Amino acid sequence: MVSQEVASLKDVWAHYDGVPALEGITFSIYKNDFLGIIGPNGGGKTTLLKIMLGLIKPTKGEIRILGDTPDKQRKFVGYIPQHSLFDRDFPASVWDVVLMGRLGHARRFKNYTDADREITLNALKTVGMLELKESQIGRLSGGQQQRVFLARALVTEPKLLLLDEPMASVDVALQTGLYELLERLTQRIAIVMVSHDIGAISIHVNKIACLNRKLFYHNSKEILPEELEETYKCPVQLIAHGVPHRVLKKHQ
């Protein structure tokens, strides 16, 4: 059975003030993929996500989301940015924040429908936040807020979910639960997650890519040591799980 292609990029380049941020990016994402993208700061990870959202136009190359251009398919793409900026004293409840995710599906000047409310209810159940639906968003912990923002992305009923460092503000003790939730979500959608946590990425995703302007990707979890070194521009320490020793390379 051939997997359904959700997104494809062919020879995509992006520049800022003439300086390349992405160079010749080519890869595809398929339904049920959980792709983790790792790489150093400034390597173009956030730029790549914004290009897939249609928020940034590439210098050259072709991008297709569900067979069409990103701007035409944006309503089928959920997105959680690295920093969700909001006034923590603003009296918005969890329910209100998630329900607002349905605005892109509502007809102009129309109120929310019963269907919108049902979708919101189900999203809150999915992320385990229904009991706190009346709570003020600014009073929640970082992990709880991320679950709310994930629910808001899910009410758009996306085919593709893009996450930019979603664990950055989440306590380590709560991260495993969020990763497991994302794994369950891949039963029905594709997920692309940017992260600096190579260890967590290697455990929870089913495919890994390295990005530092250029992309190293084999449509699998296979990442060669030399590709990591090329991505991070320095020797990389590899740890083998279950082996009581590790081999370290010295920095020059």
Side-chain angles (χ1 to χ4, degrees):
M1 183 176 178
V2 178
S3 297
Q4 177 186 347
E5 188 176 73
V6 175
S8 67
L9 291 82
K10 297 179 181 178
D11 194 28
V12 171
W13 291 67
H15 293 76
Y16 291 114
D17 297 324
V19 178
L22 297 175
E23 301 180 11
I25 305 299
T26 297
F27 73 107
S28 295
I29 300 166
Y30 299 91
K31 184 179 179 181
N32 309 124
D33 276 357
F34 189 176
L35 171 62
I37 300 179
I38 59 176
N41 289 332
K45 300 185 298 297
T46 297
T47 298
L48 177 61
L49 295 188
K50 289 183 176 180
I51 281 179
M52 294 173 67
L53 281 164
L55 300 178
I56 295 176
K57 297 290 186 182
T59 309
K60 76 169 192 174
E62 180 182 80
I63 305 168
R64 286 290 180 266
I65 305 294
L66 297 169
D68 210 335
T69 57
D71 57 315
K72 292 182 179 178
Q73 300 287 47
R74 192 176 297 157
K75 67 179 181 179
F76 296 113
V77 182
Y79 175 54
I80 301 180
Q82 183 173 356
H83 302 291
S84 297
L85 301 177
F86 63 95
D87 184 349
R88 295 182 179 274
D89 293 322
F90 186 74
S93 70
V94 166
W95 177 266
D96 292 334
V97 170
V98 177
L99 184 61
M100 282 190 290
R102 292 296 300 169
L103 286 174
H105 291 255
R107 289 181 295 172
R108 187 173 294 181
F109 306 124
K110 295 291 183 179
N111 294 326
Y112 294 113
T113 66
D114 289 342
D116 292 329
R117 296 183 180 87
E118 182 69 18
I119 290 169
T120 298
L121 185 74
N122 289 334
L124 286 169
K125 286 181 180 178
T126 297
V127 302
M129 290 297 294
L130 185 59
E131 292 184 359
L132 294 176
K133 67 184 180 70
E134 301 300 332
S135 300
Q136 185 176 334
I137 182 70
R139 299 292 181 260
L140 301 181
S141 68
Q144 290 171 329
Q145 288 173 359
Q146 284 299 80
R147 285 180 178 266
V148 173
F149 297 138
L150 178 56
R152 186 177 62 182
L154 292 178
V155 298
T156 66
E157 299 182 302
K159 305 291 186 183
L160 173 63
L161 184 60
L162 305 178
L163 310 174
D164 195 353
E165 295 285 356
M167 305 298 172
S169 60
V170 180
D171 293 338
V172 174
L174 299 175
Q175 289 183 11
T176 298
L178 271 174
Y179 278 122
E180 290 174 349
L181 171 59
L182 293 174
E183 288 182 67
R184 292 195 298 272
L185 289 174
T186 58
Q187 295 174 13
R188 53 190 174 94
I189 63 176
I191 298 177
V192 177
M193 179 175 67
V194 163
S195 177
H196 283 94
D197 191 341
I198 300 177
I201 281 281
S202 65
I203 294 170
H204 295 285
V205 305
N206 56 37
K207 297 180 179 180
I208 300 175
C210 294
L211 178 65
N212 188 0
R213 297 195 300 185
K214 296 179 180 179
L215 188 76
F216 298 92
Y217 182 49
H218 304 292
N219 198 35
S220 70
K221 290 185 74 167
E222 177 188 8
I223 293 293
L224 301 177
E226 54 266 30
E227 292 174 340
L228 280 172
E229 294 187 4
E230 176 65 21
T231 299
Y232 287 93
K233 302 301 182 184
C234 69
V236 172
Q237 147 183 322
L238 298 178
I239 302 175
H241 293 282
V243 179
H245 70 278
R246 59 189 177 185
V247 179
L248 308 181
K249 287 188 177 182
K250 293 182 179 180
H251 285 65
Q252 299 298 323

